[in-house]
Amino acid sequence: ESHRTILDARRGITKTVVYVADARFITASKGARGAGKECDRLELWNLKTGQRETNVDLEFVVNDLAVDATGRNIAVVGDDWRVHLFASDSLAPIRSFRAHDQRITAVAFHPARPVLATGSTDLAIKLWDHQTGTLLDRFLGSRHEPLDLAFSASGARLVVGSGDKRTRVYETKLFSESP
């Protein structure tokens, strides 16, 4: 047999998942509706024990997760127009800041710098210093919302997949080859 299941966690519909360490991962799943509003839940899982270590009920619907190159921070974005940063080992909140004027659809960490890219239904792609929440750059990608973002391994380029069925690759001065 070429594969085996080592964990089968049944806790609701899993919407997105990121690995944060060799034996740990974080899921965002549909949570309970609070006050007539749909909300989601983050869960930290341990593959060695097969157990959920902790969870956080959120006040918003999650659209995307990203983990930074150190594996210590995760960014969570969704329908509340904010970036939420959490410690990956405990799901403790680090900071939150308003990033867009509409629902955030995609997020990605730069591989070497404290830069976070976000994309939104407001059609903007924004680059942030995730340690301070300071806006570094903003540009419009297309006339359709960005659905996915990814930095190249060097961080010199940002790839954007969007709702117009196109993929674009951007270079800016912020993405220079030297960190």
Side-chain angles (χ1 to χ4, degrees):
E1 191 172 299
S2 64
H3 66 282
R4 66 185 175 97
T5 302
I6 59 173
L7 176 67
D8 186 0
R10 292 189 176 107
R11 295 277 185 188
I13 297 171
T14 300
K15 297 168 66 174
T16 186
V17 60
V18 292
Y19 258 102
V20 293
D22 184 40
R24 297 168 107 192
F25 64 95
I26 295 171
T27 63
S29 57
K30 284 192 173 193
R33 292 180 184 262
K37 181 180 174 192
E38 186 177 327
C39 299
D40 286 344
R41 168 180 284 173
L42 293 180
E43 296 179 317
L44 175 63
W45 291 88
N46 185 317
L47 283 174
K48 290 179 183 172
T49 65
Q51 300 296 312
R52 181 181 68 184
E53 292 184 359
T54 190
N55 65 276
V56 175
D57 288 321
L58 303 170
E59 303 276 330
F60 60 95
V61 173
V62 174
N63 291 324
D64 201 10
L65 300 174
V67 62
D68 73 357
T70 69
R72 291 190 294 257
N73 302 297
I74 62 163
V76 181
V77 297
D79 69 351
D80 69 343
W81 310 355
R82 301 180 69 79
V83 171
H84 302 270
L85 296 167
F86 293 88
S88 65
D89 62 347
S90 65
L91 298 184
I94 297 170
R95 80 182 45 79
S96 173
F97 57 91
R98 183 172 171 160
H100 287 270
D101 295 326
Q102 292 182 22
R103 179 172 58 94
I104 303 174
T105 54
V107 64
F109 279 99
H110 189 279
R113 298 178 185 208
V115 174
L116 187 71
T118 59
S120 168
T121 55
D122 65 12
L123 306 184
I125 297 166
K126 295 183 180 181
L127 304 176
W128 303 92
D129 179 324
H130 72 78
Q131 295 174 332
T132 65
T134 303
L135 181 64
L136 303 173
D137 197 5
R138 177 189 186 281
F139 56 96
L140 295 178
S142 75
R143 289 182 281 200
H144 296 271
E145 69 188 68
L147 300 175
D148 201 12
L149 303 170
F151 281 99
S152 63
S154 70
R157 295 185 178 105
L158 179 66
V159 179
V160 180
S162 64
D164 63 356
K165 302 178 184 175
R166 297 178 75 173
T167 302
R168 293 171 176 84
V169 180
Y170 296 96
E171 291 180 321
T172 75
K173 292 179 183 178
L174 277 176
F175 303 148
S176 67
E177 291 292 334
S178 58

